[in-house]
Amino acid sequence: MADSDDSDIVDIEGLTITYRTVYGNLVSLNSVDFKVKRGESVSIVGESGSGKSTLGLAIVRLLAPNASYSSGRIMLDGHDVTKLSNRQVSLLRGTTAFMIFQDPLNTLNPVKRVDVQMLEAIRSRLKQEGQPFNEESAYKEAVDRLNDVRMPDADSIITRYPHQLSGGQIQRVVIAMGLLMRPKLMIADEPTSALDVTVQAQVLELLRDLQRNYQMSIIFITHDINVAHSISERMVVMYAGEVIEASPTESLVKNGLHPYSQALIASIPTISKSEGKLTAIAGSPPDMISPPNGCRFHPRCPHVMQVCTVQSPRTTVKDGSEVRCFLYG
Amino acid sequence: MVDVLVKTQKLKKYFRAGKSGLLDKILRQLPPLVKAVDDVNLEIGKGEVVALVGESGCGKTTFGRLLTTLETPTEGEIYFDGRQVTKSDQKAVRRKVQMVFQNPYESLDPRQSVKGIVTEPLSKMGISKVEKDAQFEKVMSAVGLDQNFGERRPRDLSGGQRQRVAVARSIVSNPEFIALDEPTSALDASVQSQVLNLLVGLREEYNFSYLVITHNIAVARYISDRVATMYAGQIVELGPTGEVLKDPKHPYTQALLKSVPSLDTKKIEPPHGEVPSLINLPSGCRFHTRCPFVMEKCKTEDPSMRRVGNVDVACWLF
Ligand SMILES: Nc1ncnc2c1ncn2[C@@H]1O[C@H](COP(=O)(O)OP(=O)(O)OP(=O)(O)O)[C@@H](O)[C@H]1O
Ligand SMILES: Nc1ncnc2c1ncn2[C@@H]1O[C@H](COP(=O)(O)OP(=O)(O)OP(=O)(O)O)[C@@H](O)[C@H]1O
Ligand code: SF4
Ligand code: SF4
Ligand SMILES: [Mg+2]
Ligand SMILES: [Mg+2]
């Protein structure tokens, strides 16, 4: 199929992903719909364990071996990822979609020096572009990208092994690798969780520039709503393997519709408040092997109604937001 | 004044890093020195929580590893409970301290079950199986993980679940001192609150002391009594948390606070200029290459710590 430029870069419908485990089947994504337009920046936020990383990994087909695609389809740049051969998928990885893993050491090889790994990345990009590889200019390009991500001592860092770098330096090397690939879509799973706020601000600015100037689409997975707010136009909230709200960023943070979105935003600590206990959402996170019936949030929801305990709410559209909750129909 | 539990004096850790060029080999030169921790004095009281904030790569993790004896100092001293920590009694100290590592993926043994990982610090303590099980149950529910996680392997966990397993492991043996390196960086706000409330509760109950390394200023604000700002291997400001965050004195602390993203604004103002090299450190004040208030003196003379009210700050403005 052609990658016609008006189609969405990512178009997921009814995606269900199951992990097989010794203690039972764990449905980590349950009938998820998710779209990203070309040039758009979307954040995925939500509870720890709700399926955010699984969704990102599913798009590039890099799920753990015990995972299976139970149903649904994933269109990535016009190709159904679930139907491609391994070789075809590997061609899409890198230059079509580049994924920054939550564990940065999943991208970096611990026994290879940073320069070796960055040059390999450049070589593979040039091969896909049908361009010749030149070691000297590639080396310069690698150092330039490290400078772009505000890496000090880039000349020394590039000659080291990953274990000789700080947490934030490893994370920046991985982001620099992503920049080297110049992908149409960058899937970044908690890419700034080890960066201090000053470097984080600069890296976010860099990503925004790429999005603006090169129409790069971004899927930004983060637990930090403040960061999501600064990087994305739209936010998707996940709970227990389901997308429960998808809204323009501003309306989500000011006026979240779903009771879980509201509770999540209310629990953000701020620099100016420190008195008393921090607010955590009451009740415990759902057991993903046997999730609650009806609305999965109902055991913890302050607005729970009779219907919520037996029936699963459908997605409704309200003021440009999509929400799954009986309060809205 | 409370009793001091951990104390460092002129603590330094230098690394040799990277390859040397051909010319260096001929001249028998070693690879360059990275000055990760460079002359740090800090005291942490019994039952006190100190937050350590600062630029990525400035030496925070290295400092935490030094305090928990996982790294040997290049120079300087560490005292634990009034006694200097030497090679020979490292083992004894190690039983009373724990570290939660920045990257939970690295630190959890992939072959062990979650239960094995979490209860491992208890294994050498001569505790009955019943007590062990009870303690396991207690810490797991405290970090918001179901009992049935015990059977799982680290690879079956999400990022935030691994991080909580690491925190559970660090508290299971009731250590006197824990260095927590970005302990909630993979947690959503609600679960983060739960873990922070737990740490505060433990401190109140057992008088634990913590060093909490974090880039999340709101976390530092909530959890710590005092906050230390680190820049290029040194502590540049140290004082009561409320005071430092409300009225930061050092220009770097000021810049740090201005870069915190918030829901009120999309505009953030990170400091200009290059991030400092730890190999060729800037002369004089290490922040002078980026400081909006830089004076002639700052370029050549290194300011030492001065007491201003309740706060110690290393800057020529004071
Ligand atoms: N390989 C696996 N085998 C079994 N269960 C898994 C596996 N990987 C993830 N899970 C489970 O699937 C659920 C979703 O995991 P996922 O990593 O997608 O969560 P997440 O939203 O990214 O969480 P976090 O914010 O903590 O990183 C979790 O409950 C997790 O325990
Ligand atoms: N084994 C090593 N060999 C050489 N250099 C090292 C080694 N470990 C750390 N470094 C360097 O020492 C400096 C301090 O590293 P450290 O991990 O303490 O930083 P950090 O403040 O924890 O940073 P981050 O916030 O990014 O985790 C960094 O510049 C790093 O590159
Ligand atoms: S459907 Fe019912 S239980 Fe679920 S979030 Fe809405 S009101 Fe709460
Ligand atoms: S000593 Fe000078 S350069 Fe350094 S922080 Fe103070 S004013 Fe700025
Ligand atoms: Mg994840
Ligand atoms: Mg670190």
Side-chain angles (χ1 to χ4, degrees), chain B residues 156-305:
Chain B
D156 303 343
L157 304 179
S158 77
Q161 288 163 348
R162 284 179 219 217
Q163 202 162 41
R164 283 177 279 163
V165 168
V167 171
R169 176 192 155 92
S170 78
I171 57 176
V172 77
S173 60
N174 288 343
E176 291 172 42
F177 173 70
I178 314 178
L180 298 121
D181 197 354
E182 306 282 5
T184 61
S185 66
L187 302 181
D188 62 273
S190 168
V191 175
Q192 168 172 286
S193 304
Q194 194 183 347
V195 170
L196 294 177
N197 286 337
L198 162 76
L199 291 172
V200 167
L202 286 173
R203 184 274 276 265
E204 276 160 15
E205 198 173 336
Y206 300 107
N207 218 30
F208 287 0
S209 308
Y210 308 124
L211 177 77
V212 181
I213 300 170
T214 179
H215 65 270
N216 187 331
I217 309 286
V219 168
R221 169 81 175 138
Y222 172 71
I223 198 163
S224 66
D225 306 304
R226 284 190 301 152
V227 61
T229 312
M230 200 164 173
Y231 189 79
Q234 297 185 322
I235 289 180
V236 295
E237 182 161 2
L238 173 67
T241 303
E243 228 164 295
V244 171
L245 296 186
K246 196 159 151 226
D247 176 25
K249 301 221 158 30
H250 196 282
Y252 174 66
T253 316
Q254 293 171 0
L256 196 62
L257 294 180
K258 276 195 199 137
S259 307
V260 177
S262 86
L263 294 183
D264 306 328
T265 167
K266 285 210 180 198
K267 232 182 116 224
I268 352 187
E269 309 166 46
H272 296 289
E274 288 303 306
V275 188
S277 159
L278 292 183
I279 296 172
N280 299 307
L281 285 161
S283 61
C285 167
R286 294 178 180 187
F287 191 53
H288 89 252
T289 51
R290 306 165 81 187
C291 179
F293 309 108
V294 57
M295 301 166 285
E296 228 15 78
K297 187 180 191 177
C298 309
K299 296 177 188 164
T300 50
E301 283 175 67
D302 196 0
S304 53
M305 277 283 198

Side-chain angles (χ1 to χ4, degrees), chain A residues 45 225 235-237 244-266 268 303 318-319 321-325 327-328, chain B residues 263:
Chain A
V45 301
I225 309 259
M235 270 161 86
V236 167
V237 187
I244 51 108
E245 179 164 358
S247 298
T249 300
E250 287 303 326
S251 46
L252 192 107
V253 300
K254 297 221 170 72
N255 235 329
L257 296 177
H258 196 281
Y260 173 72
S261 314
Q262 293 167 353
L264 185 66
I265 286 165
I268 303 173
H303 308 292
K318 184 177 182 289
D319 308 333
S321 295
E322 290 167 24
V323 58
R324 253 177 116 148
C325 166
L327 293 175
Y328 306 97
Chain B
L263 294 183

Side-chain angles (χ1 to χ4, degrees), chain A residues 52-54 102 189-190 221, chain B residues 105 158-160:
Chain A
K52 304 182 296 295
S53 299
T54 303
Q102 187 167 14
D189 195 353
E190 305 278 6
I221 301 172
Chain B
Y105 293 85
S158 77

Side-chain angles (χ1 to χ4, degrees), chain A residues 23 48 150 153 172 193 196 223, chain B residues 56 152 185 187 215 273 277:
Chain A
Y23 32 85
S48 172
R150 319 293 300 175
D153 299 322
R172 277 176 282 172
S193 64
D196 69 88
H223 65 277
Chain B
S56 171
R152 296 209 201 178
S185 66
L187 302 181
H215 65 270
S277 159

